Amino acid sequence: DSGVTQTPKHLITATGQRVTLRCSPRSGDLSVYWYQQSLDQGLQFLIQYYNGEERAKGNILERFSAQQFPDLHSELNLSSLELGDSALYFCASSAFLGPGDTQYFGPGTRLTVL
Amino acid sequence: DQQVKQNSPSLSVQEGRISILNCDYTNSMFDYFLWYKKYPAEGPTFLISISSIKDKNEDGRFTVFLNKSAKHLSLHIVPSQPGDSAVYFCARSVEDGQLTFGSGTQLTVLP
């Protein structure tokens, strides 16, 4: 158990809908990262927050947004869903900021868009 | 473009023998490289890392080697065990810590 929790574990929805994925980092970790794992793109970095502030953006679509709350949990919002958004979404957390700081991953949320 | 590439999608090894997983990268600056293991239906699990100023890092059965001139890193698992069967990802950690992953190598350790 990494100490990172994600809910829900599975999510099935229809095209055009909006969903929210939730992540609770390990106790004391200030950084939260979101990654997407799809069959054709592999594991890709989406967005990072540190202590409530957005720090870096990767290959995140404009239809996707995220935030980190004062209690450090984070939510990833996906809207106007398309079939191609079906993927595993992972949250990871680390204590601080910077290369070499180990990231611990949650179990993921499997999103299926029908 | 800072990429990491794993050119072998799969590897089979006999139990007790050495497993060697490989990764190539481009455009390195001061980075860290990490290896993660992933079982089906679970998130990636951190295994071992190496700073780009080092050549080798060891942790129990796992050793990572970094060849900067060849822009190549490898993970050695000795001895391999059936429980090591999983997908292994190499990753580069840059700037604020975000990871760029390779495509993964499925390791199967045969009993």
Side-chain angles (χ1 to χ4, degrees):
Chain A
D1 185 358
S2 67
V4 178
T5 60
Q6 289 187 249
T7 56
K9 195 168 177 62
H10 300 279
L11 200 46
I12 301 174
T13 188
T15 54
Q17 295 298 303
R18 172 189 168 94
V19 297
T20 298
L21 313 183
R22 183 188 168 102
C23 168
S24 293
R26 293 189 321 154
S27 177
D29 282 0
L30 299 176
S31 276
V32 169
Y33 306 78
W34 287 96
Y35 294 87
Q36 178 195 57
Q37 185 181 25
S38 59
L39 279 175
D40 56 344
Q41 295 291 327
L43 259 168
Q44 288 202 310
F45 166 70
L46 294 178
I47 196 165
Q48 175 196 8
Y49 281 82
Y50 177 78
N51 203 21
E53 301 284 328
E54 182 185 304
R55 287 294 300 196
K57 271 187 172 180
N59 298 319
I60 188 166
L61 300 171
E62 286 193 12
R63 300 183 284 108
F64 296 1
S65 65
Q67 54 185 327
Q68 186 180 27
F69 294 86
D71 66 352
L72 300 177
H73 91 271
S74 178
E75 292 180 357
L76 179 67
N77 301 296
L78 316 176
S79 61
S80 302
L81 285 167
E82 301 175 359
L83 295 177
D85 298 328
S86 296
L88 268 168
Y89 292 84
F90 291 104
C91 166
S93 73
S94 66
F96 304 111
L97 203 63
D101 195 20
T102 301
Q103 291 181 33
Y104 296 88
F105 282 75
T109 293
R110 180 174 292 280
L111 174 67
T112 303
V113 182
L114 300 174
Chain B
D1 187 18
Q2 297 173 329
Q3 291 188 4
V4 286
K5 286 189 176 180
Q6 293 177 260
N7 294 314
S8 299
S10 63
L11 174 68
S12 290
V13 169
Q14 209 67 36
E15 180 179 4
R17 306 296 292 268
I18 184 171
S19 294
I20 300 176
L21 298 118
N22 295 302
C23 183
D24 297 306
Y25 61 91
T26 60
N27 302 330
S28 171
M29 294 190 297
F30 180 71
D31 295 337
Y32 273 80
F33 295 94
L34 304 90
W35 285 93
Y36 280 81
K37 175 172 75 172
K38 187 180 182 303
Y39 295 118
E42 294 184 13
T45 302
F46 170 74
L47 277 177
I48 191 168
S49 65
I50 187 167
S51 162
S52 58
I53 63 172
K54 292 191 173 181
D55 298 324
K56 177 183 172 181
N57 189 26
E58 221 172 323
D59 184 0
R61 297 187 297 117
F62 302 94
T63 304
V64 57
F65 296 91
L66 180 60
N67 183 331
K68 289 180 277 294
S69 60
K71 289 187 167 43
H72 178 85
L73 71 155
S74 60
L75 174 68
H76 292 210
I77 306 173
V78 184
S80 301
Q81 300 172 354
D84 295 329
S85 297
V87 177
Y88 288 77
F89 292 96
C90 69
R92 162 191 255 150
S93 176
V94 299
E95 298 172 358
D96 289 338
Q98 58 267 31
L99 299 175
T100 300
F101 285 91
S103 54
T105 297
Q106 171 70 57
L107 173 66
T108 302
V109 180
L110 305 167

